[in-house]
Structure formats: C-alpha cells, structure tokens
Amino acid sequence: MSDFAEIIYDGKSYQLPVVEGSEGEKAIDISKLRGASGLITIDKGFKNTGSTESAITFLDGEKGILRHRGYTIEELADKSSFIEVSYLVIYGELPTQEELANFKNDITQHTLVHEDVKSILDGFPSKAHPMGVLSSLVSSLTAFYPKSLDPNRSVEEVNGTIIRLLAKLPTLAAWAFKNRVRQPLVYPNNNLDYCSNFLRMMFGLPTEEYNINPVVANALDKLLILHADHEQNCSASTVRIVGSSHASLYASVSAGIAALWGPLHGGANQAVIEMLENIKADGGDVSKYVAKAKDKSDPFRLMGFGHRVYKNFDPRARIIKKAADDVLEALGIDDPVLEIAQELEAVALKDQYFIDRGLYPNVDFYSGIIYRALGIPTDMFTVMFALGRLPGWIAQWKEMRENGDPIGRPRQVYTGHNERPYVPMNER
Ligand code: SDX
C-alpha cells in the first residue's frame, strides 16, 4: 500500500507522505503542502486533523477502545489506583512498588499551599464558580514558584513543578469549595491517601474529626482514573497550545481548566444533572426532551450525549453507569434522577436520530449522579473532572515539550474586505 497521498490541483500533482501510527492509524503529513502548492487545508474544530503524534492514549471511537500507554481503561479502573494511573500516564510505565511509594511520598510532601493563597481566595465572592477560582489559583502558583516560569530548566526542576501541581490541586479545589460555602479552610492531612485527603478538606471542619467512608473514597478514586486522559480533547489541546509558546505548566493547566469549564466539554457533567433535574421538575416526560434535542429550531441538546470520537459507546460511560448503581446501593440512596437518566438513555438509544448520528451517553452522562451520591455539589462536578484530568494535561504538556513540538499557530482563509482607502470622518 502506498505511503504517499496525491493531490492534483490546477493541473499539478503533489505527493504527500502518509504516516502510520502503532495502531495502524494513517495521516497525510501536509507540513510541506503550502510551500509546494500555496494551498493550506481548513477543518473547523479539527474534526479530521491531527495536531501531533502521541504515545500517551489510544482511542478507537468505532470500537469504544480507550487505553493509556497500552493498558485498557477497563483493567486500570478495576485493578489500579488514581495515583498509579497518574504515574503511568505521565512517565509512561506502571511504577514499581518503590517508584510508587516515592511518588506518593513526593506528592504528600507538597500538598500545602502558601498562606498568601488565602488572600487571593478571599478576593473571590462566595458566588464565584469554583472552576473560575481554581483556574485563577493554579495560575497564581507561578507567583510562589517563579522558577516554574521557565519550562526549559532541568528535568528535576520540571518534575518538581509536576509534583507540586499534582499535590496542590486537591487542596486548591477543596478550598475553592470552602470559599463557595464560606466555611473555614481545612488543611491537608498527610496521613491520608489522595482521595481521603481531598474529601476531608472538602467536607471536614478544622474543629471536628472527619470520618472517611471507604465506599465514597473508592468510588472517587475510580472516577478520577476514568477521567485521567483522553488524547487531544479540547482542554488537552489548549494545554498543549499554551505550553507550545513555552508558557509554564501552571499557566498551561490554568488555561486547560478554563477550556474544560465549557458545557460542551467537561462542564457537561454539571449540565447533565441540571438537565435531569429540569426534566424531573417538568413532570419527567423524557420523550418531550428527546424531541426537543432532535428539533433543529430548538437549541436544547441532550447533555451527556454524543462525542467527537466515540460513535458507538464511550467505554468510560459503561463503567461509570455500573459504578453509579453500586455506589447508590452501597450508600442506600434512591435518586429519582438516576431513573430519569436511565429512561432518557433507553428512549434516545432507540431513536433513529441518535442512532444515525452515533450519539450515545458519554463520560459526563452518569458521572454527575455518582458525584451527587458522594455529596459533591453540582457546581463542583467539573472541578472533579479537572482533578481527574490533571495527569493527562501534565502528560500531554510534558510530551509536547520533550518532542520539541513547534509553537502552535494555525493558518486561516481570509474572507474580509479587499484593500480599500481610509475614509475621512466627514465622508462616512
Ligand atoms: C467531553 O473530546 C473528548 O475526548 C471530550 C471528553 C474528554 O474526556 O475529554 O470525552 C469529555 O467533553 C464529553 C462530551 C461532553 N459534552 C456533552 O455531553 C455536550 C452534548 N454533546 C455535544 O454538544 C456534542 O455531541 C459534542 C460537543 C460532544 C460533539 O460534538 P461534534 O462532534 O462537534 O458533533 P456535532 O456538534 O457536529 O453534532 C453532529 C450531529 C449534529 O446534528 P446534524 O447537524 O448532523 O443534524 O449530532 C447532533 C448535532 O446537532 N448532536 C446532538 C448532540 N450532540 C450532537 N443532538 C442532540 N443532542 C446532543 N447531545
């Protein structure tokens, strides 16, 4: 099979190399196209355009495959831990016992944030959305660790920045929540594991003992694993393009948090619950909302449905759906919104509109139901997504830097006015 593609334009032929990935994916390398032909390509939303070559995550949207460094999401969710998956995604291999112990210890040593962060936090009104607070606080880390501003420093320095970010994000996330509910801050307790420490900082009080429910901590750990990375999604691409200008990891991840916030991306988990609650308040007629989602004159979309890559099923959604049943049963919770979600899924999946467009529940459809069961407030759902996605953002940024990817600067097709003379004010 030819490893070249031919473009014939204006009577001329252009041969473009075809690159093949380790899973047989093929791409036409157009890096020389403009120089040879004057042509560029255009692909709004980059639906058919690869931005890089990456060894972190493999997705097959048709087969519903998701693997991190070759390991399936099903095995990782079932057998690993979020900290271990973070190590795998960032450094490329499953850690040995000693490597994992050292990684955990490094993270534990850096969970505290500078006391001056509290002054920044105090500047936010209690109605501030936690995602906006989190993005700001992550960017503020550059002020406390100015060496992080130069990503070209030693590997040790860069790894120190990586460890600090992994360690401090749960603290910053919990404090963003405390700011929302105007409760006193709870400092990290380094005797607790990653998820237990976060839950205690979120729901505990400085003056009281907080009892960790292992069902809740284990469910949260699994949810974070399921969000760890997802190749070149909107927020990961944002982290890459910001980092490609040699901006710091903190600045790049702060931008990634902002991108994730949007309801078409990570913000969908909050939008799903709000949608399900609206359907419930409106009498629970799911068929009415499926019809609205199909009506092109109606801006309503079924949040938590559809995906740019998965056109059969999102493997994460399947795992989360099962986990939702298990968690609700273990906690003895009967959430009517879960029944609406299950009915909505059943109705939509039989509908030709959804079948024709490959629209299935995605990672955000059921995750909110678990977060609710764990007692996490709705506007913290996307913060939980950010906590889970952090190792993926770090891995993508690190790979982009190590591969020496150039600064991201797409071209465009200009559609504005042609040249015209300036018009004096008295002639306008
Ligand atoms: C995440 O990229 C990733 O990997 C993201 C993510 C990750 O882990 O990082 O998986 C996390 O962001 C999951 C997606 C969360 N977003 C939502 O649940 C919001 C609702 N879904 C969408 O708006 C939409 O499905 C997207 C944004 C997810 C995907 O949009 P695409 O690929 O650009 O598809 P499209 O908007 O071009 O839609 C194709 C067709 C259109 O109809 P036609 O013009 O062909 O008639 O499908 C329709 C759309 O109108 N459609 C929907 C729909 N999603 C797509 N119709 C109703 N409800 C929906 N949810």
Side-chain angles (χ1 to χ4, degrees):
M1 186 182 297
S2 162
D3 50 7
F4 278 87
E6 179 181 17
I7 289 182
I8 296 171
Y9 177 70
D10 200 15
K12 293 185 185 134
S13 162
Y14 304 94
Q15 301 275 320
L16 296 168
V18 171
V19 299
E20 181 169 353
S22 55
E23 286 287 343
E25 295 165 306
K26 291 183 172 59
I28 300 173
D29 180 343
I30 58 168
S31 51
K32 302 279 191 298
L33 178 64
R34 188 171 183 278
S37 68
L39 292 167
I40 66 167
T41 60
I42 189 162
D43 179 21
K44 290 179 183 175
F46 312 114
K47 294 190 176 188
N48 305 285
T49 299
S51 60
T52 191
E53 292 173 317
S54 176
I56 300 168
T57 291
F58 171 68
L59 303 184
D60 182 318
E62 285 62 38
K63 296 176 186 161
I65 293 173
L66 167 54
R67 297 190 206 122
H68 295 313
R69 305 286 189 181
Y71 299 97
T72 66
I73 193 61
E74 290 81 3
E75 278 217 280
L76 292 172
D78 187 34
K79 299 172 182 171
S80 188
S81 68
F82 176 61
I83 290 297
E84 183 175 81
V85 169
S86 297
Y87 186 99
L88 169 69
V89 161
I90 294 169
Y91 301 109
E93 296 295 339
L94 286 171
T96 62
Q97 193 83 39
E98 184 184 3
E99 287 166 336
L100 185 59
N102 291 338
F103 187 54
K104 282 180 181 175
N105 183 56
D106 288 346
I107 289 171
T108 300
Q109 300 310 314
H110 290 89
T111 51
L112 261 181
V113 294
H114 195 287
E115 280 292 291
D116 286 358
V117 166
K118 288 160 62 175
S119 313
I120 301 168
L121 189 63
D122 287 344
F124 285 98
S126 60
K127 61 177 179 295
H129 194 289
M131 282 294 276
V133 176
L134 189 64
S135 178
S136 305
L137 294 182
V138 168
S139 185
S140 79
L141 292 175
T142 52
F144 301 100
Y145 304 99
K147 286 182 182 174
S148 68
L149 287 172
D150 176 5
N152 301 307
R153 298 179 77 92
S154 68
V155 170
E156 292 71 27
E157 285 270 359
V158 170
N159 201 55
T161 300
I162 289 172
I163 293 293
R164 281 191 195 94
L165 189 48
L166 284 166
K168 296 180 193 308
L169 198 69
T171 307
L172 296 176
W175 286 14
F177 170 65
K178 287 302 195 188
N179 178 66
R180 189 100 173 83
V181 295
R182 280 286 180 255
Q183 282 184 0
L185 303 178
V186 175
Y187 281 61
N189 174 342
N190 291 335
N191 297 316
L192 298 174
D193 64 59
Y194 193 88
C195 287
S196 301
N197 206 4
F198 171 73
L199 289 166
R200 180 178 164 277
M201 291 189 283
M202 263 279 284
F203 297 119
L205 289 172
T207 52
E208 292 173 11
E209 193 59 36
Y210 179 74
N211 297 317
I212 307 287
N213 182 332
V215 171
V216 173
N218 291 335
L220 179 57
D221 196 79
K222 186 188 285 267
L223 278 168
L224 296 181
I225 290 173
L226 292 168
H227 287 80
D229 186 57
H230 216 239
E231 52 131 284
Q232 305 312 313
N233 58 84
C234 177
S235 54
S237 298
T238 301
V239 169
R240 275 183 174 257
I241 203 160
V242 170
S244 72
S245 73
H246 291 195
S248 74
L249 176 62
Y250 296 142
S252 304
V253 167
S254 173
I257 293 169
L260 186 73
W261 195 357
L264 293 189
H265 189 14
N269 57 17
Q270 174 174 344
V272 166
I273 289 294
E274 289 164 351
M275 171 187 74
L276 294 172
E277 284 175 334
N278 288 341
I279 294 172
K280 177 168 168 281
D282 188 25
D285 177 3
V286 295
S287 300
K288 171 182 170 186
Y289 283 84
V290 168
K292 278 170 64 70
K294 293 160 56 179
D295 179 354
K296 292 301 173 193
S297 65
D298 189 327
F300 175 79
R301 281 196 162 187
L302 278 193
M303 301 314 280
F305 259 74
H307 198 275
R308 175 61 55 79
V309 174
Y310 294 124
K311 299 305 177 190
N312 278 322
F313 64 92
D314 183 334
R316 302 166 298 176
R318 283 187 169 178
I319 299 168
I320 289 179
K321 183 177 178 180
K322 165 101 178 41
D325 291 336
D326 296 347
V327 167
L328 291 180
E329 186 184 347
L331 297 177
I333 295 172
D334 176 19
D335 186 346
V337 150
L338 175 62
E339 288 151 33
I340 291 178
Q342 289 166 333
E343 190 186 342
L344 188 58
E345 178 186 7
V347 170
L349 293 189
K350 292 193 193 84
D351 189 294
Q352 209 54 44
Y353 172 96
F354 290 84
I355 296 168
D356 291 348
R357 292 165 179 78
L359 302 177
Y360 292 81
N362 58 48
V363 67
D364 292 310
F365 189 66
Y366 283 105
S367 55
I369 288 164
I370 300 186
Y371 290 140
R372 249 160 80 102
L374 302 185
I376 291 167
T378 305
D379 64 6
M380 281 291 289
F381 288 1
T382 312
V383 170
M384 308 310 295
F385 195 143
L387 274 184
R389 185 51 52 88
L390 179 61
W393 287 331
I394 291 171
Q396 298 287 343
W397 183 90
K398 182 171 177 283
E399 183 179 69
M400 176 270 303
R401 304 274 311 120
E402 289 169 350
N403 289 354
D405 285 7
I407 185 171
R409 201 273 184 223
R411 293 274 180 163
Q412 64 163 28
V413 172
Y414 176 70
T415 57
H417 287 283
N418 301 115
E419 184 175 355
R420 53 181 175 162
Y422 181 78
V423 180
M425 184 60 79
N426 61 1
E427 293 176 19
R428 290 177 196 167

